[in-house]
Amino acid sequence: MVNLLEVLKKEIVPAEGCTEPIAVAYAVSLAAELLEEEITGIQLFLSGNIIKNAMGVGIPGTGQTGLPIAAALGAVIRRSHRKLEILSGLTAVELSQANAIIDRKLLAVELKDTPEKLYIEARVQSANHRATAVVAKEHTNIVLLEKDGIPINIQKDKGDCGEDEQLSPEDYAVSLEGIYEFVCTTAFTDLEFLLEGARMNKAISDEGLRGDYGLQVGKKMSQRSAVNLFGNDVANSVIAATAAASDARMDGSAMPVMTTAGSGNQGIAATLPVIKLAELMGKSDDMLARAIALSNLVTVHVKHYIGRLSPLCGSGIAGGVGANSGIIYLMGGSLDQIKHGIQNTIASLSGMICDGAKSTCALKISTATNAAIQAATLAMNNISPTDNDGVIFEKVEDTIRNMERLVQEGLAATDETILNIMLSKA
């Protein structure tokens, strides 16, 4: 039997920094903790998607970007028990030690020839020992841990509902009817924990609106000036608040975010439009928690078919579809109108590619949020595309399911092309 509350608790977890480079730091830390000697070398073997999503993103508390500093920090701080919050509490001494590892050229990175989209293999060397940690499929899912070639028993936290706990495929293939019924009938006390994530994501949004982070997409959209064509309306306030959180996160803010399906930007894209709209509409905590639950579960549902890491922008497409569902729910829409909204959003965003984690993610998220609002407006007027329109099918589940076909058949070489283009600039 599908346990959607368990899915929510597994897929909605806090993280500090972009999850791909942070997962690299986590893997390096796992291996480094097995050594008691000074580290003499770090070798990373990474899937293309990990490299693509870690090249240009800011690393919290460092003022630096990319894989080298993330990996070096993992070797220094050795706090793997913090998982995706491993960099929390980073000190100036630790940062200096990590930079020394980079300066000594102890780090080597290679592209791993693997069909696995999310693959991190960290080999850490000391004078007399070598330790290896492999994380795959999900950002904290350890598949191998060994010292000097001898496997180490991997201990799972008892009762842990974190990302590394595997759920069955049926938990992710649940129908929209099942999701909607869960959202409408589950006790508020069971969903109340989602409000902590709402507070966390709103805090980094507020920080993005205050500071000069990244491209300042959200901040500039929210400011009234002669060069700002956006009005002071509900839609623009929602878009600006959402983009601002991504501005701050991608530029290395040390503030945590509540992730969805392994991505902080997905968490931002799926929840902040709902959070901001609920605030502007004066909705209750009960209504907000249910809308966030719906948005997150729809996002996870779409991601099940797109893939954990993908040539398609999960934050824009899956997060946008999820946000659209939450927006319609807050507006009093029916299940049929939510289905209309999903069709409208996919029709608008299905071609958005992922070219890595970086400052322009805020632009994509702002575009997706705008599309979600537009799609919700049409849906509330009972308007949606038909099966004569492109990749849209008569049944919304078929539309979602065929996103997997689009990725696997139509975009099979896209990731490699994107990565080659990015690497050609180095």
Side-chain angles (χ1 to χ4, degrees), residues 197-207 272 275-276 279:
R199 287 187 283 270
M200 187 179 292
N201 287 358
K202 186 179 185 303
I204 196 169
S205 171
D206 292 342
E207 175 66 16
L272 265 164
I275 295 164
K276 186 62 178 180
E279 176 189 312

Side-chain angles (χ1 to χ4, degrees), residues 284-297:
S284 67
D285 283 350
D286 181 285
M287 193 72 168
L288 173 59
R290 295 182 191 280
I292 291 174
L294 176 62
S295 177
N296 277 290
L297 286 171

